[in-house]
């Protein structure tokens, strides 16, 4: 119990050191910390919740297997997101190779958390807006989508995005710039801002 | 600062990632330029809209499934290790005899295989007898009856001058004629 309490206060990097020594409790804590952000990050990239969970599971499996490759001086979050992003890219390549790749714009509806206090019509409206937001993100080219998702939803700095995507700061800035410009134009065209008021 | 420059840096401005001077320049520009101010406001609203995107919870059994995968992988690894160890053990056992003994075994196996090959190659009966009775190539060369054969096996223990000599040759019968 004491160990669990002290583990919870540990930083991600300290937990990774424990995982390196085979501490399963530390690994579970890392999974609990990151499962939601990682699944949501992948959900935004893939547009498919089941696929997002599958890739997230594989990512944590690699994290467990390759824990020894983590440098104690490094920062855990970008390092792990790089693994996740590479797995997503690998999955995409596999699908392209098998001629099964489609731009996944899934219409699946995940029950939205805030819906309890909403009337049925508000719920429908909320679902509609959520679906449109998903489509806005999904409409971006793959590279812009990754940069915009990391920037807006994961709140990564430009330097961290550079680490994850393996490109220069200038490239990251321009991908975010053009990605957001494109989303903004669509938002105006779809009149989404007035709906949101 | 030009409008195009301001517009390109608006994202960094909103995220407070610019230096003090650049920040001030853009702030001053936004107070004077309505077009850029509208762009700035629209961008902030887009950020706000995107940040209202749903954040669904992962399945409740996410961790449980992950543990199962890890267990499966570890048991697979153990069985692979055991299999590899077993194979190495077998190979070690079969090579436990001395090197000379092994080489003799290999050479005998090769000779037997070559002999069997020679026997099953489609020679005509007469020619087969001739070929196996006479190990001398020159005699075979003079034999005009041999017409269809694909390989020959020639082992002779003395050379043309009658001195002890080991000669071993395998090749296409076309070489003979």
């Amino acid at each position: 119990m004491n160990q669990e309490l002290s583990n919870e206060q540990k930083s991600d990097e300290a937990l990774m050191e424990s995982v390196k020594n085979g501490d399963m409790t530390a690994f579970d804590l890392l999974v609990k910390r990151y499962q939601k952000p990682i699944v949501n990050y992948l959900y935004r990239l893939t547009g498919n919740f089941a696929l997002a969970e599958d890739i997230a599971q594989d990512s944590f499996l690699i994290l467990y297997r390759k824990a020894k490759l983590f440098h104690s001086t490094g920062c855990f979050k970008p390092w792990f997101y790089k693994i996740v992003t590479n797995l997503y890219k690998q999955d995409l390549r596999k699908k392209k190779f098998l001629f099964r790749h489609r731009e996944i714009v899934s219409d699946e509806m995940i029950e939205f958390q805030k819906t309890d206090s909403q009337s049925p019509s508000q719920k429908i409206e909320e679902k509609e807006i959520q679906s449109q937001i998903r489509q806005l993100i999904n409409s971006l080219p793959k590279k812009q989508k990754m940069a915009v998702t990391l920037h807006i939803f994961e709140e990564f700095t430009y330097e961290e995005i550079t680490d994850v995507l393996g490109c220069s700061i200038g490239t990251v800035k321009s991908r975010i710039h053009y990605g957001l410009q494109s989303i903004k134009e669509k938002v105006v065209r779809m009149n989404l801002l007035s709906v949101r008021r | 600062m030009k409008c195009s420059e301001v517009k390109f840096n608006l994202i960094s401005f909103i995220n407070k990632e610019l230096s003090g001077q650049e920040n001030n320049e853009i702030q001053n520009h936004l107070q004077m330029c309505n077009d850029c101010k509208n762009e700035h406001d629209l961008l902030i609203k887009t950020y706000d809209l995107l940040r209202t995107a749903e954040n669904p919870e992962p399945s409740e059994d996410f961790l449980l499934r992950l543990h199962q995968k890890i267990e499966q992988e570890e048991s697979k690894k153990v069985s692979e290790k055991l299999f590899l160890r077993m194979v190495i053990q077998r190979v070690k056992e079969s090579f436990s005899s001395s090197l000379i003994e092994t080489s003799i075994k290999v050479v005998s196996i090769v000779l037997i295989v070559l002999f069997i090959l020679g026997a099953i190659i489609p020679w005509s009966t007469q020619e087969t007898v001739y070929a196996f009775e006479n190990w001398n190539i020159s005699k075979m060369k003079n034999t005009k009856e041999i017409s269809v054969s694909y390989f020959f096996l020639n082992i002779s223990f003395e050379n043309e001058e009658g001195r002890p000599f080991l000669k071993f040759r395998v090749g296409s019968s076309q070489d003979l004629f």
Side-chain angles (χ1 to χ4, degrees):
Chain A
M1 189 69 186
N2 272 342
Q3 196 205 345
E4 203 167 306
L5 274 176
S6 61
N7 265 349
E8 269 171 23
Q9 289 155 354
K10 278 184 180 174
S11 67
D12 298 339
E13 289 76 19
L15 283 177
M16 269 310 282
E17 286 304 311
S18 307
V19 176
K20 275 185 187 179
N21 300 322
D23 184 351
M24 210 52 193
T25 325
F27 175 71
D28 286 356
L29 258 170
L30 269 176
V31 176
K32 279 177 193 160
R33 268 186 207 175
Y34 279 94
Q35 60 180 11
K36 191 176 173 183
I38 292 294
V39 168
N40 277 294
Y41 170 58
L42 288 163
Y43 177 40
R44 282 178 189 115
L45 294 182
T46 60
N48 180 308
F49 195 73
L51 179 62
E53 277 209 339
D54 278 351
I55 303 175
Q57 289 252 326
D58 290 344
S59 310
F60 282 110
L61 202 64
I62 289 184
L63 176 72
Y64 178 76
R65 242 191 281 152
K66 310 274 178 189
K68 288 207 161 62
L69 295 179
F70 176 72
H71 294 289
S72 45
T73 48
C75 190
F76 172 76
K77 202 176 170 186
W79 180 78
F80 185 42
Y81 270 77
K82 191 174 185 172
I83 293 177
V84 177
T85 309
N86 284 341
L87 274 182
Y88 159 71
K89 286 186 199 166
Q90 232 174 58
D91 186 75
L92 220 59
R93 272 199 296 270
K94 220 186 290 169
K95 278 178 185 143
K96 267 185 187 167
F97 179 73
L98 294 170
F99 302 101
R100 278 199 271 117
H101 178 63
R102 307 264 188 287
E103 196 58 45
I104 307 161
V105 184
S106 170
D107 278 323
E108 65 174 283
M109 290 290 178
I110 307 293
E111 273 309 307
F112 196 51
Q113 307 296 308
K114 296 180 202 163
T115 52
D116 286 343
S117 58
Q118 289 173 322
S119 69
S121 65
Q122 278 175 319
K123 280 182 186 176
I124 293 169
E125 198 178 289
E126 187 62 55
K127 275 187 177 181
E128 185 56 36
I129 292 168
Q130 287 303 325
S131 165
Q132 281 170 334
I133 292 175
R134 268 203 308 275
Q135 279 176 24
L136 283 173
I137 300 162
N138 261 316
S139 66
L140 293 177
K142 188 184 84 187
K143 287 175 181 173
Q144 284 180 15
K145 188 165 43 173
M146 287 190 283
V148 168
T149 308
L150 286 168
H151 171 66
I152 293 187
F153 302 104
E154 311 306 319
E155 293 178 351
F156 273 45
T157 61
Y158 289 143
E159 282 80 10
E160 285 172 330
I161 299 175
T162 300
D163 286 345
V164 176
L165 301 181
C167 52
S168 69
I169 286 204
T171 311
V172 167
K173 277 186 181 177
S174 98
R175 281 181 194 170
I176 294 172
H177 175 81
Y178 290 113
L180 276 175
Q181 285 297 330
S182 152
I183 289 180
K184 191 193 72 193
E185 280 161 22
K186 282 173 196 155
V187 163
V188 173
R189 217 180 306 140
M190 290 157 82
N191 211 13
L192 268 173
L193 292 174
S194 60
V195 173
R196 200 73 199 165
R197 291 290 103 209
Chain B
M1 215 182 242
K2 286 178 187 171
C3 284
S4 59
E5 247 179 289
V6 171
K7 280 177 184 171
F8 190 79
N9 284 310
L10 273 180
I11 293 166
S12 303
F13 174 74
I14 291 168
N15 292 294
K16 298 181 177 79
E17 279 168 345
L18 293 175
S19 67
Q21 197 198 336
E22 285 174 315
N23 210 51
N24 288 340
E25 275 181 49
I26 290 180
Q27 216 153 17
N28 292 337
H29 184 96
L30 291 178
Q31 281 170 355
M32 295 182 296
C33 177
N34 272 341
D35 190 31
C36 288
K37 176 82 173 86
N38 286 341
E39 188 78 14
H40 168 263
D41 293 349
L42 207 55
L43 209 53
I44 286 191
K45 282 176 187 168
T46 308
Y47 265 97
D48 290 343
L49 174 77
L50 288 176
R51 280 180 179 145
T52 60
E54 58 192 346
N55 275 308
E57 291 288 336
S59 319
E60 280 178 11
D61 62 347
F62 187 89
L63 190 61
L64 185 77
R65 278 191 290 141
L66 186 60
H67 276 272
Q68 283 169 349
K69 274 190 182 178
I70 290 172
E71 272 169 34
Q72 272 175 11
E73 187 140 305
E74 284 191 339
S75 64
K76 199 178 150 193
K77 230 189 262 177
V78 168
S79 57
E80 274 173 7
K81 263 186 189 172
L82 278 175
F83 178 73
L84 198 69
R85 207 176 290 168
M86 200 182 75
V87 170
I88 291 170
Q89 188 69 25
R90 286 275 163 86
V91 172
K92 268 186 186 171
E93 275 171 17
S94 61
F95 280 93
S96 60
S97 51
S98 69
L99 191 66
I100 298 167
E101 206 178 316
T102 316
S103 332
I104 291 170
K105 275 182 198 169
V106 172
V107 169
S108 357
I109 290 169
V110 170
L111 283 174
I112 291 166
V113 168
L114 288 174
F115 190 79
I116 293 167
L117 271 178
I120 56 172
I121 285 165
W123 300 70
S124 68
T125 324
Q126 240 191 338
E127 288 143 10
T128 308
V129 172
Y130 188 84
F132 284 105
E133 274 178 0
N134 301 277
W135 297 100
N136 196 324
I137 295 178
S138 57
K139 274 191 184 173
M140 287 171 75
K141 271 182 181 168
N142 296 332
T143 312
K144 286 175 185 168
E145 289 87 23
I146 298 174
S147 52
V148 184
S149 56
Y150 301 101
F151 297 99
F152 70 87
L153 173 68
N154 173 39
I155 305 169
S156 56
F157 296 96
E158 49 185 46
N159 67 2
E160 290 81 7
E161 290 148 9
R163 285 185 192 154
F165 185 80
L166 180 66
K167 199 170 169 189
F168 180 76
R169 230 178 127 198
V170 183
S172 162
S173 62
Q174 300 303 314
D175 300 344
L176 296 174
F177 309 108

